Amino acid sequence: MDQPAARPLAHRPVQVSGQLAAGGLVVAGLAWVVRGVWEVRLARAGEPDAGPPDQGNGVHRPLNALENSYHLVTSMGDVLVFLCAALFLSWLWRLRENARALSGDAPKYLGIWVYLGWIVPVVNLWFPRGIVVDAFRAGAPGRKLPGSVDVWWGLWLIGMLSGVGIVCRDSTDQIIGRAYSEVWPLLVSDTAVVGAAVAGAFAVRAVTAVQVERLRGARAAGSQVTGVV
C-alpha cells in the first residue's frame, strides 16, 4: 500500500532575517561607540562656567556646540537602536514559529511576550533570553546552547540595570552633566551595551545557523518520505 505523503514543513524564512538582525545589532553597537566618544569629548572639555545644561527645577541653559552635537548623536543612535529592535523582534518571532513547526509542541512563552517581555518589569530580566533558549531547544533538541547567548544576555542586563545604559530615565541634558562630573560610570555602561550588541550578533548568527540546518534536514526527510511508495 502507498504510504501517505508527508506534509511539507511550514516554516518562515529565517536566514535573511537573522543576517539583518545581526547586522542591526552591529550598527547599534557602533552607534553606542560614537556616543561614548562624545561623552569622552564632553569630559575632556570640562563643564562650562555656566554649569550643567540641566540647572534644576526645570531650568535649562542654552547648549554649546559640543552639547548640541551630543544631542544629535544620541537622537541618531536612538533611531538606529529602534530599527535594530524591529529587526531583532522580527527574527525572534520567526525563530519561535519555526521551532514550533519543528517540534510540534506549543512554545513555553506566549507570542505576546516576544514584544512585552522586554518592557514589563521583573519578567524582562529573563523572559527574552528564555524565549530564545526555548525556541533553540525546541527546534534543535540535544544541541548545546551557543555560549554567545549567555554572554549577550549578561551584558544586556548590565547595560540595562546600570542606570546609565540601555534603559536610562535621565534626560540627555542630565547625562551631559554626568559626563562632566564623572564620566567613568557612563563609559562602563557603554562598554557593556557595545559588548551586548556584538555578542548578540554572534548569538543570532549561531542560533540561526542551527535552525537553518535543522530545517533543511527536516525538508530533506520529508522529501524522502514523499517519494516512498
Side-chain angles (χ1 to χ4, degrees):
M1 296 178 62
D2 292 347
Q3 294 185 5
R7 293 180 60 186
L9 178 66
H11 71 282
R12 297 174 180 269
V14 72
Q15 189 167 16
V16 173
S17 179
Q19 292 170 346
L20 291 173
L25 284 164
V26 171
V27 171
L30 290 174
W32 223 273
V33 169
V34 174
R35 177 177 176 145
V37 169
W38 250 253
E39 288 164 358
V40 171
R41 291 184 63 192
L42 288 165
R44 294 186 63 182
E47 186 174 272
D49 293 337
D54 187 348
Q55 304 276 296
N57 298 319
V59 178
H60 295 259
R61 64 165 172 77
L63 301 177
N64 60 36
L66 181 58
E67 293 163 348
N68 269 319
S69 66
Y70 183 74
H71 272 265
L72 179 61
V73 164
T74 55
S75 296
M76 292 179 63
D78 288 344
V79 171
L80 292 174
V81 169
F82 176 81
L83 293 175
C84 169
L87 292 171
F88 187 90
L89 291 176
S90 175
W91 167 79
L92 186 56
W93 182 267
R94 290 168 183 263
L95 183 81
R96 177 181 177 275
E97 292 300 296
N98 287 345
R100 178 167 62 178
L102 286 165
S103 68
D105 298 326
K108 180 179 178 181
Y109 299 89
L110 295 176
I112 191 65
W113 291 116
V114 171
Y115 308 101
L116 294 185
W118 300 87
I119 59 176
V120 176
V122 182
V123 302
N124 62 354
L125 298 178
W126 76 88
F127 269 33
R129 177 190 177 276
I131 293 170
V132 173
V133 173
D134 180 58
F136 177 83
R137 289 176 176 166
R143 296 290 294 266
K144 183 179 179 181
L145 182 71
S148 53
V149 173
D150 288 328
V151 174
W152 155 67
W153 190 246
L155 291 173
W156 169 269
L157 289 179
I158 293 173
M160 182 176 67
L161 298 176
S162 64
V164 293
I166 300 167
V167 179
C168 180
R169 295 183 180 180
D170 286 350
S171 68
T172 304
D173 283 351
Q174 289 173 325
I175 295 175
I176 290 173
R178 288 190 180 196
Y180 284 140
S181 62
E182 193 175 9
V183 73
W184 289 109
L186 288 172
L187 296 181
V188 169
S189 181
D190 291 342
T191 301
V193 174
V194 174
V198 173
F202 279 104
V204 168
R205 288 175 61 88
V207 172
T208 301
V210 171
Q211 187 169 92
V212 168
E213 178 187 346
R214 180 74 191 283
L215 286 168
R216 288 172 178 168
R219 286 195 297 267
S223 299
Q224 291 176 359
V225 172
T226 303
V228 172
V229 177

